[in-house]
Amino acid sequence: MQDLTGLLNRPEPLVMGILNVTPDSFSDGGVHAGVDLALSSALKMVEQGADIIDVGGESTRPGAAAVSATQELDRVIPVIEKIKCHSAVPISVDTSSPEVMSEAASVGIAMINDVRALSRQGAMEIVAAHHLHACLMHMQGQPGSMQDNPRYNDLVDDINLFFEKAVQRCCLAGISRDRLILDPGFGFGKTYQHNLTLINRLAEFNVHELPVMVGLSRKSTLSRIADDVIAGSVGGNIMAFLAGAKILRVHDVEQTLSALRVVREILRSGEEDEN
Ligand code: 8Y4
């Protein structure tokens, strides 16, 4: 088990680099070529300053085919093992499958990033037993249909109620509260307007006094606004940081860190002006 407590207590946000190991991303030349390509992508993000690498083998895009736990294990476990041979970077696993959680925990990871918030049978117990950190993400509906007319009473209040219940369930299952991270799930059962509201009102998710994570990177709400989706994502992530986001899940580690450094230096200099 890798502990993120120290990293989470730093003043600066954590940048989580996205490593997709779905066949469409890393499978042009057989299994070994796939693992090597994934490794070099992970090491590049680490060099660029990523604090965590999020390894995912299930695509949650609308219309994506369901994957079996076996398929997901075959994709994810060899990549985790390979990264661990070459780097001490904390690893997060993007999965909803208890089988994958369990195998990954045995290999040694820091956290589970679950877009289904540990809702599958046995998931919470695995996180508890291995003292893993876990990101509980909000999603309305299921990946295949979540974007057909999502509706809320009050978006932020509804998500906060979901967080309240999910945190309570996790604590009852034996997970320490301080292992939990909350994510409002940008793009998961949200309209364009909902997604913008999430960023505008992001600070309201701080009421739980748990770290807030966001995944804005390259998503369609942002590419609809900006032709340059990388620059657009960096802008969204800066706003999220200013609203208190603690973990930024991104494809573009270098660009995100450059922008964060500038904003943090300006903030630091402003505090100095007060003296
Ligand atoms: C281009 C690239 C367009 C990627 C869309 C996407 C989140 C997440 C995803 C998130 C947390 C994605 C696994 C969707 N999004 N986990 N995972 N929060 N915690 N789409 O927002 O990146 S996958």
Side-chain angles (χ1 to χ4, degrees), residues 14-43:
L14 275 62
V15 172
M16 172 186 279
I18 300 170
L19 186 65
N20 277 316
V21 293
T22 48
D24 36 303
S25 34
F26 285 111
S27 72
D28 342 341
V31 179
H32 289 292
V35 172
D36 288 344
L37 277 171
L39 173 69
S40 58
S41 172
L43 294 179

Side-chain angles (χ1 to χ4, degrees), residues 61 94 113 115 137 183 188 213 215 218-219 249 251:
R61 287 193 189 199
D94 156 19
N113 173 30
V115 300
M137 199 196 77
D183 186 328
F188 285 83
M213 172 162 145
R218 299 188 188 176
K219 285 184 180 169
R249 181 180 181 274
H251 297 86

